Amino acid sequence: GQQLNQSPQSMFIQEGEDVSMNCTSSSIFNTWLWYKQDPGEGPVLLIALYKAGELTSNGRLTAQFGITRKDSFLNISASIPSDVGIYFCAGQHIQGAQKLVFGQGTRLTINP
Amino acid sequence: NAGVTQTPKFRILKIGQSMTLQCAQDMNHNYMYWYRQDPGMGLKLIYYSVGAGITDKGEVPNGYNVSRSTTEDFPLRLELAAPSQTSVYFCASRRTLNTEAFFGQGTRLTVV
């Protein structure tokens, strides 16, 4: 199957610190999406990546589509309390692209 | 424009009962998805559809059925509920393969 490995599984940081998380795949993906999920809500898109090597920012968030097309990372700079939540990567394989598969999630906790 | 609407929000089922989780989108999206999210875990794809009349299995389809008679609706059916189906179910839709997926608010299902 199309396995996505997301790490770390959880992070405990101080407010103001930078955060980095990544996803890797055993096969080539043609799309990477990063989502955030707040408690009791559905995931909401943060950043979408459609080209290998693409580096995209959204405010304090930056994500990159790896050159090998098998990985992606998400960075959050100067974390604030509202960044708390679960972050998911999602991708679609170059074959069977109709399926959108998700990583296991990174749970971010911030100490004020 | 309501986006993706899921009903009900919460439900408790007894073992062996059946129910249908409803999902509707008003964005004229071709692709629709059903995911389940177990506590502390990522989203696993149950079924997906690439258009009216076309459905296919995801990673964890056993115990579920779907239909897609219209572009707007993508109901998920549980025929014989089992405790292992206790989860939060999310429906999502997107217009094309290279666009973001929008999620509903989720249905929290408990099977006792």
Side-chain angles (χ1 to χ4, degrees), chain B residues 11-19 36 64 78 80-87 89 108-112:
Chain B
R11 184 73 186 268
I12 298 175
L13 278 184
K14 293 185 178 178
I15 295 172
Q17 285 186 322
S18 62
M19 79 163 292
R36 59 175 289 172
Y64 306 95
L78 283 71
L80 290 170
S84 61
Q85 292 178 305
T86 293
S87 191
Y89 291 83
R108 185 176 296 274
L109 176 67
T110 303
V111 182
V112 297

Side-chain angles (χ1 to χ4, degrees), chain A residues 27-44:
Chain A
S27 50
I28 293 173
F29 275 44
N30 63 12
T31 297
W32 286 98
L33 306 172
W34 284 93
Y35 283 84
K36 179 176 183 251
Q37 184 181 32
D38 291 324
E41 302 287 327
V44 174

